[in-house]
Amino acid sequence: MRTDACDNRTTRSKTKGLRTNGGWRSYAVGAAALAAAFTATACEPNATDGAGSTPSGRPSASSPAKPSDSGGDNSGGTTGGGGNGGDSAAVPDCAEDDLSFGTTLEDGKGEVPKHLLIAVTNAGDKKCAVHHYPHLFLGDYAEARYPIDVYEDSDPGEGPVVLAPGDEAYAALLASGVPMDQYETDSVTLLLHGREHGSDGSGPIGVDLPRVVAFDDGARVTYWTTASGYALDFIMDS
């Protein structure tokens, strides 16, 4: 992930209530099991440290890398996705008041700003789950026409993302891909997805962007994932 002191600022936005118009469209491995697996592996003559290699190429939206069965880290691996742990169905949905949101610009200095990473943090004191992907609208929700389209192939296929207190999940946002109907804004409105696909799980939440960004009809967002690199793979070649 590239960082620039001037342009690549991370902003944090507290949730704020706006008018709503109705609906729109974890890996937890036990310490004992992990220790046993490590010991068994270490005893094998050809045991490695378990570090996987990272593919050099990035996938396109039509042919993305698929998550592996092992979870990726939060700092840019291309594996992992859902971040489920145990019976995720028993974990309550995250309430907007227990979440904080931030956005980071992933473009270098002097580049056209169009690649962003959205982070959601569980600021509460209990586990909770976020579902599918965020419903995103440009600017003020009251003036929004339709939500930003999603990369369907970015679905890790592992159910909701379960966040322990302090944990983060990520969704990558491509601002432009088709130079038509451009709209400049320094904020987006986010609605959490409900458990049912296409449903809403919160009211409108205002999220600031690091700077003014020009969006167009090619804007796309990914599903939530605990691996930021997995999400970014869908947008960085676009």
Side-chain angles (χ1 to χ4, degrees):
M1 188 184 304
R2 289 172 289 190
T3 305
D4 183 82
C6 296
D7 291 331
N8 295 6
R9 300 186 295 274
T10 300
T11 63
R12 294 284 171 182
S13 301
K14 294 184 180 293
T15 60
K16 58 184 179 181
L18 300 173
R19 181 172 68 84
T20 178
N21 295 329
W24 283 83
R25 10 167 256 222
S26 14
Y27 291 115
V29 179
L34 181 60
F38 179 82
T39 302
T41 303
C43 293
E44 295 177 4
N46 296 322
T48 66
D49 62 1
S53 60
T54 302
S56 58
R58 295 184 181 276
S60 66
S62 60
S63 180
K66 294 297 182 181
S68 70
D69 292 334
S70 60
D73 63 17
N74 288 352
S75 59
T78 58
T79 62
N84 295 328
D87 185 3
S88 59
V91 178
D93 296 351
C94 292
E96 57 186 279
D97 290 341
D98 291 330
L99 299 175
S100 65
F101 297 85
T103 57
T104 303
L105 188 63
E106 297 298 314
D107 300 292
K109 185 176 181 179
E111 296 179 338
V112 176
K114 67 175 187 176
H115 304 99
L116 299 109
L117 187 67
I118 302 170
V120 57
T121 305
N122 181 358
D125 56 6
K126 296 179 181 178
K127 281 185 178 181
C128 66
V130 291
H131 300 272
H132 308 296
Y133 53 90
H135 295 298
L136 291 180
F137 303 84
L138 301 179
D140 192 325
Y141 181 63
E143 300 174 358
R145 295 174 297 169
Y146 45 76
I148 291 175
D149 288 338
V150 66
Y151 285 99
E152 291 292 352
D153 287 344
S154 68
D155 181 1
E158 299 169 352
V161 175
V162 176
L163 301 176
D167 283 355
E168 291 187 332
Y170 309 91
L173 173 60
L174 177 67
S176 60
V178 179
M180 295 178 61
D181 295 334
Q182 287 195 339
Y183 179 88
E184 293 187 345
T185 182
D186 62 357
S187 68
V188 295
T189 299
L190 181 151
L191 277 75
L192 296 172
H193 215 117
R195 288 182 179 252
E196 295 297 322
H197 199 281
S199 65
D200 287 343
S202 75
I205 302 165
V207 179
D208 291 334
L209 303 179
R211 56 167 294 175
V212 173
V213 177
F215 290 80
D216 60 33
D217 286 349
R220 297 290 185 273
V221 67
T222 69
Y223 274 67
W224 290 119
T225 173
T226 55
S228 59
Y230 174 73
L232 288 171
D233 276 341
F234 286 87
I235 71 169
M236 293 308 294
D237 278 347
S238 298

